[in-house]
Amino acid sequence: MAELHHETFPPPESVKNEAFINSMEQYKEMYQKSIDDPEGFWSEIAKGFYWESEPTGKFLDFNFDVRNGPIYIKWMQGAKTNLCYNAVDRHIDKDGDRLAFYWEGNDPDDDGQVTFSELKDRVCQFANVLKSLGVVKGDRVAIYMPMIVDITVAMLACARLGIIHSIVFGGFSAESLADRILDAKCSVVITSDGVWRGTKLLNLKDIVDKAVEKCEHVGHIVEHVIVSRHLLPEEIVVGEGDEERQPAVRPCRHLNIKWNAPRDKWWHELIEGASTDCPCVWLDAEDPLFMLYTSGSTGKPKGVVHTQAGYMLYSATTFKYDFDYHPDDIFWCTADVGWITGHTYVTYGPLLNKATSVIFEGVPTYPDPGRFWQIVDKYKVSKFYTAPTAIRSLMGFGDEHVTKYKRDSLKVIATVGEPINPEAWLWYYNVVGNKKCAVVDTFWQTETGGHVITPLPGATPTRPGSATFPFFGVVPEILSEDGKTVEGEGEGYIVFKQPWPGIMRTVYGNPQRFETTYFKKFPGYYTTGDGGKRDKDGYIWVTGRIDDMVNVSAHLLSTAEIESALVEHKLVTEAAVVSHPHKIKGECTYCFVTLKQGNKFTADLIHELRAQVRTKIGPFATPDFIQEAPGLPKTRSGKIMRRVLRKIAVGDKDIGDVSTMADETVVDELFKRRPEDA
Ligand code: WT7
């Protein structure tokens, strides 16, 4: 087993003193109860929420073993509730004036805020709009929006009516958006005119137009495109005598929006006169809440489905304990709502806990790399949640951008998305947290709904790079390749033995794929696709994906998806993509491409190939390295040996066993053609 960073950091006294869970004994006791008696444990928690009616059958019913029939997971079946009611309406009587969100724009002078009462009014109005357009329970609505309050309003309005939202991250291309609209057969798309991210202006409406057109080509009609106005000049406030700010906070002059009536509708026109009352639709605990696409190793993304009650209990409970959220805390999760982190810890988890949190539209480095800490001071953020890739990138700009700000409000600083390297962890702890904050490294997936392996800030002694121990209800095991349980210290596949309330229920429209992806390799277990280690003290260290997935800046991509984008280029016959370590992004992609006979591998071609991936998938998927491969290392049965390609990508000549390789001479050729900067 490789050396792990074994220095242990006890929870800071100040955090421990006020924590809900302030010792490992207390954690262990609660944990034991949660796995011995899930019904007792979660039904106690359920009492804190509003239920229109009680479960009619078993509190928990499931099958995790394909040998016993189809996989299913059901929590609180028959109970009726509404997540939007629990997240918003429930708080209004007593705390309507409490702030739900601070909104911080891309430009530091652009901000706003919304109370729980205002949020409820906005959600009801928008829900009434959806109703008037004929959207009903069970329909799918795609959301392609920037980080503005309206994205949470759109989600909550859907949740209020039992409409299934499918959010597509604003960095995906028109093609990716179209694929997702088609797979879910969405009849409505909600978007915005555009958004500034740093110094870049993105025309979201134009991307939606292209996606909707693509859908039409294959016979799927999107009936309504609702556009939230974020950039138009009426909204621009130019201070008196403030000539310098003439280009204003949210200028839109370069944005050319096409309008396709009656399909396209302005959000602000639709809500004009709409009532701020809208009864909640009482939904079954197991009715779907949302679907969210995540990369699949075959290349086609999977629509991960989450349901009402289980997701509600789990998002709320992980939020409360893992960030130790108290009423006077200000919480900030920097993730985009387009990813699961944003669903669970920008929208649902915080609102269910009546939390006040920050929604940030911009990027960590605009106008300068001190932006995060400037915002922390501005709102006195006490619980902060970001990704290792952001931490590494900011680390590179130097401590002065951090130390310039006070940051004395911070208590818990957390990370998610990929394994955090000890160097970045220590910088986060020492510099950002001033050695006074608990660092909480949360391991989870789109599929798990919320944190599954995580420290508790007031209880768990942490180790840099380890996500430590399981959350309540989660039973991790480490399995060897042949499915044997690894006891004690060891390494293998990370799997889970029994369901927790937040686990996904199915892959939208494809239950078979749900079973094969997660339950087939090791019958009786949910397989994460990640590898990991357990040290002698029981700490879990997630080491990364062991399937054909690459984690680029905390965004999971499948190598197959990138390969299929590359081979669509007319000069390419074959492509193989592997993961390559990257200082800031964690991992990046390294692509081997074989060209059709007689074609030259030129700088222009590399440029075209990168553009191809950008258009097919999105800018965040753009490959870092592309090299020519006159031949690829293959087994005699024709399977590409990715293990060997990974070695070539990093320039490691020790490529291991090649006895199964059909033609070994290709390897030398590939080493010769590595790009200089790789
Ligand atoms: C994959 C899931 C869950 C929100 C963001 C990503 C990796 C996530 C950690 C962590 C090590 C991590 C895993 C996982 N991952 N958090 N704390 N330590 N690895 O969601 O896109 O579904 O990706 O991200 O590889 O399987 P996702």
Side-chain angles (χ1 to χ4, degrees):
M1 206 152 96
E3 235 358 85
L4 300 172
H5 193 99
H6 267 151
E7 196 179 348
T8 304
F9 293 76
E13 279 304 313
S14 52
V15 175
K16 190 182 167 103
N17 287 341
E18 64 173 35
F20 292 114
I21 301 172
N22 56 21
S23 69
M24 282 307 271
E25 292 66 45
Q26 191 188 350
Y27 158 69
K28 282 179 188 153
E29 197 181 302
M30 286 174 76
Y31 177 73
Q32 205 56 45
K33 173 159 194 208
S34 77
I35 60 171
D36 292 346
D37 177 19
E39 162 154 9
F41 184 87
W42 292 105
S43 60
E44 199 50 43
I45 287 174
K47 285 185 191 150
F49 296 86
Y50 176 77
W51 303 90
E52 181 71 5
S53 66
E54 296 298 307
T56 49
K58 283 193 197 167
F59 194 88
L60 166 63
D61 190 11
F62 73 100
N63 172 37
F64 248 37
D65 194 331
V66 279
R67 293 166 302 194
N68 300 336
I71 301 293
Y72 67 90
I73 302 123
K74 291 170 180 172
W75 286 86
M76 301 184 72
Q77 222 190 355
K80 296 264 188 277
T81 189
N82 185 287
L83 207 140
C84 178
Y85 182 87
N86 277 290
V88 185
D89 305 47
R90 191 165 55 105
H91 312 313
I92 299 299
D93 275 353
K94 269 204 192 125
D95 294 295
D97 293 337
R98 189 180 158 85
L99 283 187
F101 294 119
Y102 285 111
W103 178 78
E104 173 78 7
N106 180 63
D107 187 298
D109 290 328
D110 196 10
D111 57 21
Q113 53 190 49
V114 55
T115 65
F116 275 93
S117 289
E118 288 160 354
L119 186 62
K120 185 195 158 268
D121 289 353
R122 283 168 69 170
V123 168
C124 285
Q125 284 193 309
F126 194 64
N128 280 323
V129 163
L130 290 174
K131 255 189 185 172
S132 71
L133 296 176
V135 194
V136 296
K137 178 183 164 187
D139 287 351
R140 280 84 46 216
V141 163
I143 299 179
Y144 187 75
M145 289 175 93
M147 289 288 282
I148 55 178
V149 174
D150 278 352
I151 190 170
T152 65
V153 172
M155 296 165 88
L156 291 161
C158 289
R160 195 170 189 87
L161 302 176
I163 296 163
I164 304 168
H165 60 70
S166 167
I167 306 187
V168 180
F169 167 60
F172 275 110
S173 66
E175 270 189 54
S176 293
L177 175 58
D179 289 345
R180 286 157 177 77
I181 294 172
L182 285 171
D183 186 71
K185 300 191 186 58
C186 300
S187 54
V188 178
V189 180
I190 307 172
T191 188
S192 292
D193 38 12
V195 64
W196 284 94
R197 285 181 65 78
T199 53
K200 266 194 231 139
L201 178 61
L202 302 181
N203 190 332
L204 296 179
K205 171 67 166 64
D206 190 49
I207 297 172
V208 169
D209 286 343
K210 292 193 173 112
V212 168
E213 231 169 79
K214 280 179 200 295
C215 293
E216 274 169 17
H217 281 316
V218 293
H220 175 77
I221 305 295
V222 171
E223 286 171 55
H224 311 288
V225 173
I226 304 176
V227 189
S228 155
R229 191 180 64 185
H230 181 50
L231 292 176
L232 286 191
E234 293 94 305
E235 287 193 351
I236 297 170
V237 188
V238 182
E240 234 176 278
D242 198 353
E243 295 302 318
E244 283 297 283
R245 273 181 59 190
Q246 266 307 331
V249 178
R250 275 181 250 159
C252 68
R253 285 173 304 169
H254 314 292
L255 202 68
N256 182 4
I257 287 184
K258 291 192 210 79
W259 205 252
N260 182 341
R263 185 199 70 190
D264 297 348
K265 299 161 177 76
W266 285 113
W267 174 308
H268 64 275
E269 287 174 7
L270 290 172
I271 60 166
E272 224 169 273
S275 164
T276 53
D277 278 319
C278 177
C280 292
V281 174
W282 300 114
L283 300 160
D284 190 277
E286 282 299 333
D287 277 338
L289 168 65
F290 66 80
M291 53 194 292
L292 177 61
Y293 286 89
T294 189
S295 297
S297 54
T298 59
K300 187 175 148 47
K302 308 177 283 261
V304 167
V305 176
H306 285 286
T307 55
Q308 304 285 331
Y311 178 83
M312 174 163 84
L313 294 181
Y314 204 69
S315 58
T317 311
T318 50
F319 178 82
K320 174 179 168 181
Y321 291 122
D322 302 341
F323 303 117
D324 193 47
Y325 187 85
H326 296 273
D328 53 353
D329 279 322
I330 304 295
F331 177 77
W332 179 21
C333 165
T334 69
D336 195 285
V337 175
W339 305 108
I340 189 69
T341 308
H343 283 60
T344 308
Y345 302 111
V346 173
T347 305
Y348 292 117
L351 293 177
L352 285 165
N353 282 280
K354 211 202 300 167
T356 301
S357 55
V358 178
I359 297 183
F360 176 44
E361 178 191 31
V363 295
T365 47
Y366 179 81
D368 65 54
R371 188 70 195 276
F372 273 4
W373 325 119
Q374 178 248 326
I375 297 172
V376 163
D377 280 1
K378 176 169 174 184
Y379 299 108
K380 309 241 171 312
V381 172
S382 50
K383 309 287 161 85
F384 177 74
Y385 194 25
T386 196
T389 180
I391 299 170
R392 283 192 299 265
S393 136
L394 295 179
M395 219 171 122
F397 288 99
D399 297 3
E400 60 280 8
H401 290 288
V402 186
T403 52
K404 199 171 137 190
Y405 296 98
K406 293 218 296 272
R407 292 158 290 116
D408 52 354
S409 51
L410 288 174
K411 295 176 180 171
V412 173
I413 51 179
T415 79
V416 59
E418 53 180 312
I420 182 164
N421 47 312
E423 193 194 354
W425 194 105
L426 290 166
W427 184 78
Y428 202 29
Y429 175 81
N430 289 323
V431 181
V432 174
N434 237 339
K435 300 183 167 66
K436 286 190 315 220
C437 298
V439 174
V440 174
D441 173 5
T442 62
F443 167 79
W444 60 298
Q445 308 178 296
T446 303
E447 294 88 338
T448 68
H451 309 147
V452 280
I453 301 181
T454 176
L456 298 173
T460 316
T462 49
R463 293 183 175 170
S466 168
T468 74
F469 303 106
F471 189 73
F472 304 130
V474 175
V475 186
E477 279 197 17
I478 294 183
L479 300 184
S480 63
E481 180 65 45
D482 55 359
K484 293 221 172 60
T485 302
V486 175
E487 308 275 3
E489 204 175 345
E491 182 167 5
Y493 291 82
I494 297 183
V495 299
F496 298 115
K497 212 181 153 132
Q498 64 189 51
W500 57 96
I503 188 177
M504 72 185 287
R505 301 300 197 262
T506 190
V507 169
Y508 184 81
N510 201 343
Q512 207 46 54
R513 191 162 179 213
F514 173 55
E515 296 200 2
T516 17
T517 311
Y518 305 102
F519 293 92
K520 208 171 140 205
K521 188 168 173 73
F522 302 114
Y525 296 96
Y526 166 88
T527 304
T528 58
D530 285 295
K533 299 170 183 179
R534 191 191 292 110
D535 70 19
K536 60 181 187 340
D537 304 313
Y539 282 74
I540 296 171
W541 304 68
V542 180
T543 46
R545 304 294 306 189
I546 32 189
D547 48 16
D548 293 330
M549 303 284 234
V550 199
N551 194 328
V552 182
S553 304
H555 303 326
L556 212 53
L557 287 165
S558 93
T559 52
E561 200 177 358
I562 300 169
E563 285 160 8
S564 77
L566 291 168
V567 294
E568 278 184 39
H569 190 282
K570 57 183 189 305
L571 301 185
V572 175
T573 47
E574 193 165 28
V577 176
V578 295
S579 153
H580 183 272
H582 187 283
K583 257 185 98 136
I584 288 171
K585 303 180 193 178
E587 291 177 32
C588 66
T589 52
Y590 191 114
C591 313
F592 296 86
V593 295
T594 308
L595 301 184
K596 289 197 177 128
Q597 281 288 317
N599 287 293
K600 274 230 164 66
F601 192 74
T602 60
D604 279 351
L605 178 61
I606 296 181
H607 187 77
E608 279 175 37
L609 291 171
R610 301 183 81 212
Q612 175 101 358
V613 177
R614 204 170 322 140
T615 352
K616 284 271 155 196
I617 306 172
F620 67 94
T622 312
D624 281 76
F625 302 106
I626 302 185
Q627 85 157 74
E628 189 187 8
L632 289 167
K634 290 183 183 170
T635 61
R636 273 176 263 278
S637 62
K639 201 169 174 342
I640 295 173
M641 298 175 79
R642 286 164 202 283
R643 163 178 72 76
V644 174
L645 291 176
R646 276 191 282 269
K647 294 275 186 173
I648 297 169
V650 295
D652 181 354
K653 298 255 173 175
D654 181 14
I655 57 169
D657 179 20
V658 289
S659 54
T660 57
M661 200 182 296
D663 174 8
E664 283 175 44
T665 63
V666 300
V667 174
D668 281 343
E669 273 303 315
L670 290 178
F671 271 112
K672 272 189 221 145
R673 287 166 204 260
R674 292 180 71 245
E676 269 162 28
D677 56 340

